Amino acid sequence: MAQPGLIFSALGRLAFRPFDALVNRIAVYNLRRIRLPASPVYRPFPRSIGLAEVGEGILDGKLIAGGREVSVNSPHPWDLPVTNKPFLMALNGFEWLDDLAALGNRQARVKAQTWMFTWLDRYGRGQGVGWAPQLAGRRLMRLINHSRFLMRALPSEERARIMQAMGTHITFIETRLQTAPRGIARFEALAGLIYGCLALGGMDSQLTFARKMLGRECDATFDDDGALANRNPEELLACLTQLVWTARTLEEAGKHADPRHTDAIERIAPTVRALRMGDGTLARFHGGGRSLEGRLDMVLAETGVRGMSDAPAPMGYARLTGGRTTLIMDCARPPRGAQSTQAHASTLAFEMSVGRRSLIVNCGPGQKVSPDWARASRATVSQSTLALDRVSSSKLWKEGLVTRAFGQILIETPSHVTLDRARDVTGSWLNATHDGYQTSHGIVHERRVFVASTGAAVYGEDRLSRPTPEKRAAKRKMEGARIGTPARVHFHLHPDVQAKHLAREDLIALVLPGGDTWVFRATGGEISLENSQYFNTIGLKPTPTRQIVVSAQFDEHSEGVSWSLQRSTVEATAFRDLAIDEPALV
């Protein structure tokens, strides 16, 4: 007779997404029984640590999950009329358990036990949205990490229920693993499976299977430089985090990770380090945010891997540095197909930090705020780059059945992106182009950027050109003669930056916290200060901010827009910021 795991894995590969919930429920009903200990035989060091202040908010009836703050006036949150997917994923992934465990008092423990047992009563047999392999993996890791906290002062029969739930999660992940999307979702599922096998003991064959599967997924997911196909920096860090935590947990338990697993960590860490801004956060591109405070440096230190990638553009991002100034620019084709459901039309956009302060940013990911903000945040006008005629350099697939089922992918992306870069004693420069506007306008966008070695100045230029005389003639025939093409170059500012016009209207002063002042100027267009929005994956709503916009008319004889950012003054507090706050590169 075929094993249940093989049967339901095959069913999962054949099932359409609308039927996944049904197949998941059938899988839970058909789980084989395993012999369970009275309590975990191995409890790994809990690395997913929450915030005590958020735990206090939960006790006060305020739950923060998936970018939403919701009032919980009943004994548990499972009756909340919320349909927001990120909120439901965070809620059913038991993220709140980290925060209640961080608080750690009796009231927090009782609250956690109530919520957990109510979830088991309602959904423990496969019901609800929480039965996906990645969510089961998240939940299982947290049940194991906080098992002492959860089991304290419980009678033996209630402890047995928790252990039975752990066993159910292990066998569910085994049977449905292949239905988890490749990437962070599958790594979360496998990490949960490994944690579960170690915690319950006597599961050597399942542990061997999980370790080999994790190694195989590493080879299939990351390229030779440790990059992800979706080019999302925050997801790359999330993958590295899971891989590092799982490898260390195996070591602490006296086991060894698969060689492909450890090799992936050594490839990914230098690429992640290359995407680190000077303020210790990640560059925000293609659906990725800044990551949790301190998580980036903590994980990089734990890898034990030193050095930064020496590729010209790790994962498609070119990094320029000088003094305390860091600039990271998107210099590769956007993700395509299924990998582009969160990707942004951000080709040749950049972010810039000075010491521990962000100066120029992209608007960031808006998917946790609302579907409308998610679409708006992906447009080219929401990135710090040039937008032509308010048209994005990559288009979003129109709304419809396919979009609702699989997500809104990018179409008509740039097909050719070039990058040249050099460095000398004066500083670093790059020259990049993309043809994302060739189909709509027959135009190529070229951006040149220079960062002085002192870090006190950044110079840039944006130009538009028609590739060949034949294409120019074809474009004129199709559209008729045009005097000029309107374009706007956007420079979105971090919310902490204060911006104001100086006496000359072509100069804008940018004051960072601490008093460090920079001056922006531009030629070839009209400068204006406009409103903007700043999103982050941990934010509950967009934060109002400002953007500098340079509006220009481009034609065959235009020399483009030239712009610069130059440090004007450096206050003493800015130097103290460097001495106290600047983290060492690990």
Side-chain angles (χ1 to χ4, degrees):
M1 182 176 176
Q3 294 183 356
L6 296 177
I7 294 173
F8 287 101
S9 178
L11 279 174
R13 287 193 297 271
L14 292 173
F16 291 101
R17 288 195 176 192
F19 300 105
D20 273 357
L22 176 61
V23 179
N24 286 340
R25 188 168 181 179
I26 295 172
V28 172
Y29 271 109
N30 286 273
L31 295 174
R32 64 183 181 273
R33 294 183 178 275
I34 59 176
R35 179 170 294 181
L36 301 170
S39 61
V41 298
Y42 173 72
R43 290 184 170 98
F45 177 77
R47 290 179 167 85
S48 58
I49 300 172
L51 299 173
E53 55 267 32
V54 178
E56 290 176 346
I58 292 175
L59 297 184
D60 292 335
K62 295 180 180 179
L63 171 63
I64 297 176
R68 285 282 190 277
E69 181 175 319
V70 178
S71 296
V72 182
N73 299 316
S74 58
H76 57 78
W78 310 116
D79 291 325
L80 289 172
V82 180
T83 59
N84 178 266
K85 184 176 179 180
F87 176 86
L88 292 175
M89 296 302 99
L91 184 64
N92 284 272
F94 282 23
E95 288 184 11
W96 44 267
L97 184 53
D98 289 339
D99 301 315
L100 290 172
L103 185 57
N105 58 27
R106 180 182 179 279
Q107 191 179 2
R109 186 180 75 248
V110 171
K111 177 74 72 174
Q113 291 168 342
T114 300
W115 286 18
M116 176 193 62
F117 283 124
T118 306
W119 187 92
L120 290 176
D121 291 338
R122 294 195 176 196
Y123 309 121
R125 293 183 62 82
Q127 306 94 321
V129 299
W131 285 103
Q134 62 270 32
L135 286 179
R138 291 184 208 174
R139 234 178 1 254
L140 180 56
M141 290 178 67
R142 290 187 168 99
L143 289 174
I144 293 168
N145 282 338
H146 305 304
S147 57
R148 284 191 177 92
F149 172 72
L150 285 171
M151 291 184 173
R152 190 179 308 158
L154 286 180
S156 57
E157 59 270 21
E158 297 294 350
R159 292 181 175 221
R161 285 190 68 193
I162 298 176
M163 296 304 298
Q164 182 60 54
M166 292 182 187
T168 299
H169 279 68
I170 289 173
T171 49
F172 172 79
I173 295 171
E174 278 189 290
T175 58
R176 296 287 284 156
L177 176 63
Q178 296 299 329
T179 66
R182 178 153 279 160
I184 183 59
R186 199 166 292 188
F187 288 128
E188 287 178 326
L190 284 166
L193 183 57
I194 289 173
Y195 269 60
C197 292
L198 292 173
L200 269 63
M203 305 183 73
D204 291 343
S205 61
Q206 291 93 332
L207 181 60
T208 299
F209 163 77
R211 285 187 294 178
K212 288 183 177 179
M213 280 296 300
L214 187 54
R216 187 184 305 170
E217 285 302 315
C218 287
D219 276 355
T221 304
F222 308 106
D223 66 14
D224 293 341
D225 295 323
L228 280 173
N230 67 10
R231 302 189 54 226
N232 182 324
E234 189 176 26
E235 182 168 333
L236 183 65
L237 174 61
C239 291
L240 178 62
T241 301
Q242 289 294 342
L243 294 176
V244 170
W245 287 357
T246 306
R248 299 296 172 262
T249 299
L250 285 166
E251 290 174 7
E252 292 163 5
K255 309 291 183 180
H256 297 288
D258 187 280
R260 295 168 294 183
H261 176 176
T262 55
D263 179 67
I265 293 174
E266 294 176 358
R267 300 199 314 272
I268 298 168
T271 296
V272 170
R273 185 172 282 109
L275 301 176
R276 180 188 184 276
M277 302 298 295
D279 60 355
T281 64
L282 283 169
R284 304 182 321 141
F285 291 96
H286 294 299
R290 294 164 60 89
S291 79
L292 294 175
E293 185 75 26
R295 172 65 57 82
L296 174 57
D297 285 340
M298 180 188 71
V299 172
L300 286 175
E302 199 166 353
T303 65
V305 180
R306 303 264 174 190
M308 186 181 298
S309 173
D310 56 3
M315 205 160 80
Y317 302 102
R319 177 188 179 95
L320 298 179
T321 58
R324 301 173 65 214
T325 300
T326 300
L327 185 148
I328 296 178
M329 193 163 101
D330 184 354
C331 294
R333 293 184 65 185
R336 295 174 296 282
Q339 297 291 345
S340 69
T341 55
Q342 294 186 36
H344 294 191
S346 61
T347 312
L348 304 196
F350 74 90
E351 292 202 323
M352 173 184 165
S353 64
V354 181
R356 291 207 53 170
R357 306 298 183 185
S358 292
L359 181 55
I360 305 296
V361 296
N362 300 310
C363 288
Q367 62 265 26
K368 288 192 176 180
V369 179
S370 72
D372 289 339
W373 278 121
R375 287 189 294 273
S377 68
R378 299 173 69 183
T380 299
V381 294
S382 297
Q383 326 302 323
S384 289
T385 187
L386 178 146
L388 198 59
D389 262 349
R390 294 185 177 271
V391 174
S392 289
S393 57
S394 297
K395 313 301 186 295
L396 290 177
W397 185 272
K398 62 182 180 180
E399 289 285 352
L401 180 61
V402 174
T403 297
R404 288 193 292 271
F406 299 102
Q408 199 166 30
I409 64 173
L410 290 184
I411 57 174
E412 296 182 25
T413 64
S415 60
H416 191 56
V417 181
T418 67
L419 171 65
D420 293 310
R421 57 182 305 165
R423 184 183 183 93
D424 58 25
V425 293
T426 64
S428 305
W429 65 268
L430 61 82
N431 185 14
T433 69
H434 79 81
D435 61 354
Y437 296 113
Q438 187 164 309
T439 300
S440 60
H441 293 78
I443 284 177
V444 170
H445 174 206
E446 178 182 11
R447 167 165 273 187
R448 301 176 182 177
V449 179
F450 173 83
V451 176
S453 57
T454 61
V458 176
Y459 301 99
E461 183 181 31
D462 287 281
R463 303 185 67 175
L464 297 175
S465 61
R466 300 198 188 276
T468 65
E470 292 78 11
K471 289 180 179 177
R472 290 200 300 269
K475 188 62 184 175
R476 283 195 295 270
K477 182 177 180 181
M478 181 173 62
E479 291 187 344
R482 300 182 64 177
I483 297 175
T485 301
R488 290 158 59 88
V489 188
H490 300 262
F491 302 86
H492 296 273
L493 304 175
H494 189 274
D496 292 339
V497 177
Q498 297 179 10
K500 60 181 179 180
H501 280 286
L502 296 178
R504 287 174 51 185
E505 286 298 310
D506 62 340
L507 300 179
I508 294 180
L510 305 174
V511 183
L512 297 170
D516 195 354
T517 301
W518 288 66
V519 174
F520 177 93
R521 72 186 70 201
T523 59
E526 182 180 343
I527 299 178
S528 61
L529 267 176
E530 301 180 10
N531 293 328
S532 181
Q533 301 289 340
Y534 179 84
F535 302 93
N536 206 2
T537 50
I538 59 175
L540 300 177
K541 58 183 179 180
T543 302
T545 186
R546 303 283 276 168
Q547 63 172 316
I548 301 171
V549 178
V550 184
S551 303
Q553 293 282 334
F554 287 84
D555 57 32
E556 299 298 327
H557 307 290
S558 172
E559 295 182 358
V561 171
S562 297
W563 50 268
S564 67
L565 284 155
Q566 292 180 288
R567 179 183 284 124
S568 174
T569 61
V570 183
E571 299 292 339
T573 51
F575 284 114
R576 288 200 296 272
D577 168 63
L578 173 63
I580 296 173
D581 297 329
E582 186 75 352
L585 283 176
V586 292

